[in-house]
Amino acid sequence: MSETVSRRSALRLTAGAIAVAAAATGGLLPLTPAAAAGRPGAGAGAGPRVERLIARLTLDEKISLLHGATDPGSLGQAGYVPGVPRLDIPPLRLADGPAGVRITEHATALPAPVLLASAFDPELARRYGQVIGREGRALGQDVLLSPMVNLIRTPYAGRNFETFSEDPLLASDLVAAEIRGIQGEGLIATVKHFALNNQEKDRNSIDVRADEQTMHELELRGFEAAVEAGTGAVMGSYNKVNGTFACENPALLTDILRDQWGYRGWVMTDWFAAHSTAAAITAGLDMEMPDGTYFGTALKSAVQNGSVAEAYVDRAVRRILSVMDRFGLLDGSAPPRPDRDAAAGAAVALEVAKAGATLLRNEHGTLPLDGGAVAVIGPTGELPFVSGGGSAHVVPDHADSPLDAIRARARGTVTHTLGEDLFGKAIPASAVSPAFDSEGQTVAAGKTWEYDGSLTVGEDDEWTFVLHFSSAATARPKVLLDGEELFPLAAGYGEYFSGGLVAVDPDGLGVRRKTLQLAKGAHTLKITADGGDAGLLFRLRRITGATRAQDIADAVSAARAARHVVLFAYEDATEGLDRTTVALPGHQEQLIRAVAAANPRTTVVLNTSSSTSMPWLARTGAVLQMYYPGQEGAAATAAVLFGDSDPGGRLTQSFPADDDHHPVAGDPRRYPGVDGTEEYSEGIHAGYRWYDAQGVRPLFPFGHGLSYTSFAYSEPGTCWTHDGLEVTFTVRNMGRRTGVAVPQVYVGPSPDLRLDQAVRVLGGYRRLVLRAGERRRVTVRVAARTLSSWDARRHRWVLGTGRRTVWVGASSGDLRLRAGARVGGGHR
């Protein structure tokens, strides 16, 4: 058991103390005063309106506010909590929303949060939040289940695109700004997933073990920043933390969240993440979602039999009603719901996509594109890749094709070839016996269609079978090849978490795939399709070695005939599933090598969720990382490719060279865990800190990103101001065009601390737009918190005093300036 858990009593005793930041060695930094909210029956700052309501609520009414229910007038949102009409307590509708409001209606599909983070611009994050906040209220929602601030710890995590960074400072800045934007529009924000939910693999059961210093210096910093920004709600995670499920973990929900940070909002579960009644509510959980398995009838019985004091129910109700009161939902003072401003949302979506576009490589002036023919290659060059799958998916107002945007901007001819087939080609009629219409088989409602025949394969080959179907997943055709079912229904929520792009074809049909090696000869093929209530349309297609070879040959021919190649590569991530490799899926690596060999002026545009290995990198002219760019991604991509916009993004995560060289590689205890337990044994050395500590060179370092101009850094200076460190330097645009610079300040370890410290940590950053030849003197303030380490013996932040090294550079791997700084006294 970690000290965080075992020292709970000590934390409670010291949580109310206030210390003054000291300049002397080992000075303790101040803690937030404890809130009375941690005790059952305490008022926790609730107003008289809330207390009067609690006094009038029946036990049944109180409990109805503590769990989800079926919405009688659903808007397609994720959750619903009924109000109490008798007392004019309105219901709450809760919508997913990492990249826009996720309901059945149209909303602005914003770029993925990882692309937002790449701009290194908290003000832009605030405006991103404003769009979601306004639209959430306009679309009838009260609570947004976002933002996510879990750190990017493993490159395989399926939700890396939904969060911000591997660095706690950057993540903290952005989550606080986004929450202020969301809640400034009157929508309640929910920071998630509290805590240490850094993978999807076994997320419902994995026991994450981390020591106290690691937790506070890395993962918890973003959540603390969200609390300081006033987040109305916190969502507990699925996993266990140091042996106890997060949603019933008193060390997290009371000792840290309430007593240390003074949090006064409410805590809800992730969907179906509750595991108990008494343990959960006494630990500090307030709301079970999306139903009342543990906080419904079971909670009422526990109160009635005395195993749970009603004061705990009152405490949870008080927390929920206090937030509702704060947002004007109890007295009618909340402003009227606004109309959607789709144009304003689209403008922000476009700005974010351009600001976060990250140019990783640009050799021999490959970009910006000049005149001449352009060959666009790849399925996502034609199909807009808007978002990842799962709870981040939004129904966009529109999503244009990158191909169309490039054609509208280019001065020369623009062609498109597939390169990599996502949706398959027709199975030749000669290959199946008896013949059937595999390209458009219809089954009438209430009817069943059956096929019993054979498929003949001309040679040993890898086949990918692609099933397209119009009906709900529970009614899709059953296809058996040699007795093996090719497309079984996934267990649990697996069908829901099926991907963002590749799970739906351009006609809107659902898609499933199965790849296997087939031997030459005949194979039995059986299909059963049920028309259900609405009828069914399905197609069965294939991708083979022969079709792949032809697709690549066509792409190579197009590349040779063009001056420029823009090759779009993809990786389709989704909640609920982790990646198995950092390599691009399918046969895209083979495609890139072949095309780049035919035309060295090849730009690879990456629509991927997270870091990607690039064994083909040296053959390409340029690589542009666009992640999942939202509904305006086509326009943003074209603007950057043609130089209408400088690529303003920088990497918020290190890109490893391959699957064998990154912080969790080679140690299954770190990822994905052994015997149900995952260990954060890298400690505070996560992300770029691990690369520095191990002397391993990443493919691209944290903070990396190129501009279409170049910048020089000079004249560093430092000054301790008793509550932080001021670092000054000059940045000059050395090129002939306006460009974006993102200078970053890193700070080395303190000689006065006998605690584990990183080689260097990000201390601060600035996003600058400089005209050609412009010089600017810049000051970056490094906060005392960033200069501190968590002392697990004292359960405190301790200032890292003494002589420390400061670097200024363009990334963690490109440090241009170096200076000394005296922390805790003196100057320079």
Side-chain angles (χ1 to χ4, degrees):
M1 184 173 292
S2 78
E3 284 193 287
T4 302
V5 177
S6 64
R7 303 281 185 160
R8 191 170 70 206
S9 298
L11 287 172
R12 285 176 173 165
L13 288 172
T14 61
I18 302 176
V20 178
T25 300
L28 298 179
L29 292 181
L31 283 174
T32 304
R39 306 291 172 266
R49 182 183 298 105
V50 170
E51 296 303 332
R52 287 195 298 268
L53 286 172
I54 292 173
R56 297 178 63 191
L57 286 165
T58 67
L59 179 60
D60 285 334
E61 288 170 337
K62 292 174 187 175
I63 289 174
S64 74
L65 295 171
L66 304 188
H67 64 82
T70 300
D71 187 350
S74 177
L75 303 173
Q77 78 280 357
Y80 173 80
V81 177
V84 181
R86 180 179 71 87
L87 298 176
D88 295 323
I89 299 174
L92 292 174
R93 288 186 168 89
L94 303 86
D96 287 318
V101 182
R102 184 182 180 274
I103 63 171
T104 53
E105 298 297 320
H106 289 273
T108 300
L110 292 159
V114 71
L115 183 55
L116 165 69
S118 300
F120 278 69
D121 188 347
E123 172 57 23
L124 187 59
R126 185 188 65 81
R127 292 196 287 118
Y128 183 100
Q130 281 183 313
V131 171
I132 303 177
R134 179 187 176 99
E135 293 204 348
R137 295 209 68 242
L139 293 168
Q141 304 303 302
D142 307 292
V143 182
L144 183 76
L145 305 174
S146 185
M148 176 179 173
V149 76
N150 300 104
L151 293 186
I152 296 174
R153 175 177 176 263
T154 166
Y156 305 124
R159 300 183 81 171
N160 281 348
F161 69 95
E162 289 188 56
T163 192
F164 299 117
S165 176
E166 69 187 22
D167 181 77
L169 172 66
L170 181 60
S172 297
D173 290 347
L174 297 173
V175 75
E178 185 179 343
I179 285 170
R180 292 185 180 104
I182 293 165
Q183 297 193 156
E185 298 297 313
L187 190 68
I188 300 168
T190 307
V191 67
K192 64 184 186 183
H193 311 83
F194 191 60
L196 279 68
N197 182 187
N198 303 105
Q199 67 185 59
E200 295 300 279
K201 174 70 173 173
D202 299 327
R203 68 176 184 174
N204 294 304
S205 59
I206 194 74
D207 182 7
V208 182
R209 301 296 178 108
D211 64 70
E212 191 175 319
Q213 182 183 2
T214 297
M215 289 176 64
H216 280 273
E217 291 191 20
L218 296 181
E219 176 80 356
L220 295 184
R221 280 196 65 182
F223 290 98
E224 184 179 6
V227 169
E228 290 174 351
T231 187
V234 170
M235 180 186 290
S237 57
Y238 287 112
N239 51 284
K240 296 176 183 177
V241 175
N242 293 320
T244 304
F245 279 109
C247 288
E248 55 187 50
N249 192 314
L252 287 176
L253 303 186
T254 294
D255 298 341
I256 294 173
L257 188 61
R258 304 285 179 182
D259 291 349
Q260 284 189 41
W261 299 346
Y263 177 59
R264 296 190 177 191
W266 88 82
V267 178
M268 70 179 78
T269 67
D270 205 335
W271 268 224
F272 302 105
H275 294 272
S276 65
T277 299
I281 198 165
T282 56
L285 182 69
D286 304 307
M287 180 183 288
E288 177 189 6
M289 293 302 294
D291 59 20
T293 302
Y294 296 98
F295 275 25
T297 301
L299 179 56
K300 181 178 180 180
S301 297
V303 172
Q304 291 175 332
N305 66 29
S307 58
V308 171
E310 190 169 350
Y312 284 105
V313 174
D314 290 347
R315 181 181 71 175
V317 171
R318 180 177 291 109
R319 291 167 175 172
I320 295 166
L321 291 182
S322 292
V323 176
M324 293 177 69
D325 195 33
R326 172 183 154 198
F327 281 79
L329 299 178
L330 297 182
D331 64 352
S333 64
R337 293 190 183 273
D339 295 327
R340 273 196 69 216
D341 189 340
V348 172
L350 177 61
E351 182 181 357
V352 171
K354 291 192 293 187
T358 306
L359 185 61
L360 300 179
R361 174 180 171 87
N362 192 22
E363 296 297 310
H364 312 300
T366 300
L367 293 180
L369 300 178
D370 55 23
V374 180
V376 177
I377 297 172
T380 48
E382 185 175 28
L383 295 173
F385 202 149
V386 176
S387 67
S391 60
H393 180 70
V394 177
V395 181
D397 289 309
H398 65 268
D400 296 333
S401 163
L403 176 63
D404 291 341
I406 291 171
R407 280 178 170 154
R409 180 61 181 78
R411 296 194 297 271
T413 59
V414 178
T415 61
H416 177 258
T417 54
L418 192 60
E420 175 86 354
D421 192 355
L422 282 178
F423 301 111
K425 295 174 174 60
I427 297 176
S430 60
V432 291
S433 179
F436 73 98
D437 184 8
S438 64
E439 273 297 282
Q441 190 66 49
T442 58
V443 184
K447 301 294 185 180
T448 299
W449 181 88
E450 295 183 340
Y451 176 84
D452 190 347
S454 65
L455 170 72
T456 300
V457 176
E459 59 183 357
D460 292 354
D461 198 0
E462 178 186 279
W463 275 56
T464 297
F465 290 90
V466 187
L467 178 69
H468 304 230
F469 55 97
S470 63
S471 193
T474 54
R476 70 165 178 255
K478 184 176 183 179
V479 181
L480 285 82
L481 186 76
D482 295 333
E484 176 188 355
E485 187 172 355
L486 297 185
F487 312 104
L489 293 177
Y493 273 72
E495 287 297 318
Y496 175 76
F497 302 130
S498 58
L501 174 82
V502 302
V504 180
D505 76 6
D507 297 332
L509 300 182
V511 174
R512 296 295 184 273
R513 296 168 184 79
K514 177 68 173 183
T515 299
L516 38 84
Q517 291 289 329
L518 293 186
K520 178 181 178 179
H523 301 263
T524 62
L525 178 63
K526 295 183 179 182
I527 306 173
T528 304
D530 187 346
D533 295 332
L536 173 69
L537 166 68
F538 76 90
R539 295 190 284 258
L540 184 62
R541 292 179 171 177
R542 99 295 189 199
I543 304 167
T544 68
T547 67
R548 284 192 298 273
Q550 186 59 56
D551 287 337
I552 291 177
D554 291 344
V556 167
S557 295
R560 285 178 177 151
R563 171 168 171 75
H564 303 282
V565 174
V566 181
L567 193 159
F568 286 80
Y570 74 91
E571 174 259 320
D572 192 25
T574 180
E575 177 186 356
L577 293 174
D578 280 348
R579 304 159 70 191
T580 57
T581 176
V582 293
L584 291 170
H587 296 264
Q588 293 180 96
E589 289 188 355
Q590 180 184 355
L591 171 66
I592 294 171
R593 286 191 181 99
V595 168
N599 188 333
R601 297 184 65 82
T602 293
T603 296
V604 177
V605 178
L606 293 170
N607 292 130
T608 56
S609 68
S610 188
S611 55
T612 303
S613 62
M614 304 178 198
W616 38 263
L617 180 67
R619 303 187 182 195
T620 63
V623 178
L624 177 64
Q625 175 62 259
M626 292 299 298
Y627 297 105
Y628 301 153
Q631 69 179 46
E632 307 300 323
T637 301
V640 174
L641 289 174
F642 287 95
D644 303 329
S645 175
D646 197 51
R650 304 296 185 265
L651 291 182
T652 69
Q653 58 193 300
S654 308
F655 273 36
D658 51 44
D659 287 305
D660 298 323
H661 298 88
H662 56 74
V664 301
D667 188 347
R669 294 170 299 176
R670 289 187 182 179
Y671 177 85
V674 175
D675 297 330
T677 299
E678 178 188 38
E679 299 175 3
Y680 282 28
S681 56
E682 72 275 19
I684 65 166
H685 305 285
Y688 64 87
R689 305 177 185 201
W690 179 86
Y691 288 94
D692 287 341
Q694 298 298 317
V696 175
R697 183 175 181 178
L699 178 64
F700 293 112
F702 173 88
H704 173 73
L706 304 176
S707 167
Y708 289 146
T709 184
S710 61
F711 301 93
Y713 298 74
S714 62
E715 304 171 298
T718 64
C719 178
W720 171 249
T721 63
H722 300 289
D723 60 353
L725 186 66
E726 289 187 352
V727 181
T728 57
F729 52 93
T730 299
V731 182
R732 182 180 178 185
N733 184 343
M734 303 297 289
R736 298 180 178 179
R737 56 176 292 157
T738 297
V740 176
V742 183
Q744 299 149 46
V745 172
Y746 295 85
V747 183
S750 163
D752 296 335
L753 291 183
R754 298 296 177 260
L755 299 169
D756 195 15
Q757 298 179 74
V759 173
R760 64 183 61 88
V761 299
L762 180 69
Y765 52 87
R766 285 284 298 277
R767 181 181 178 87
L768 307 172
V769 178
L770 299 179
R771 299 183 303 276
E774 182 181 358
R775 291 169 54 97
R776 190 175 304 176
R777 190 70 177 161
V778 177
T779 298
V780 171
R781 185 176 181 277
V782 183
R785 171 62 63 85
T786 302
L787 297 165
S788 304
S789 295
W790 181 267
D791 187 335
R793 294 173 303 169
R794 296 190 252 182
H795 311 292
R796 300 273 188 159
W797 289 100
V798 181
L799 184 63
T801 56
R803 190 75 174 174
R804 303 181 67 167
T805 303
V806 174
W807 294 269
V808 179
S811 75
S812 64
D814 183 9
L815 304 172
R816 312 275 185 89
L817 304 175
R818 178 172 176 162
R822 174 69 62 180
V823 173
H827 300 278
R828 299 191 185 279

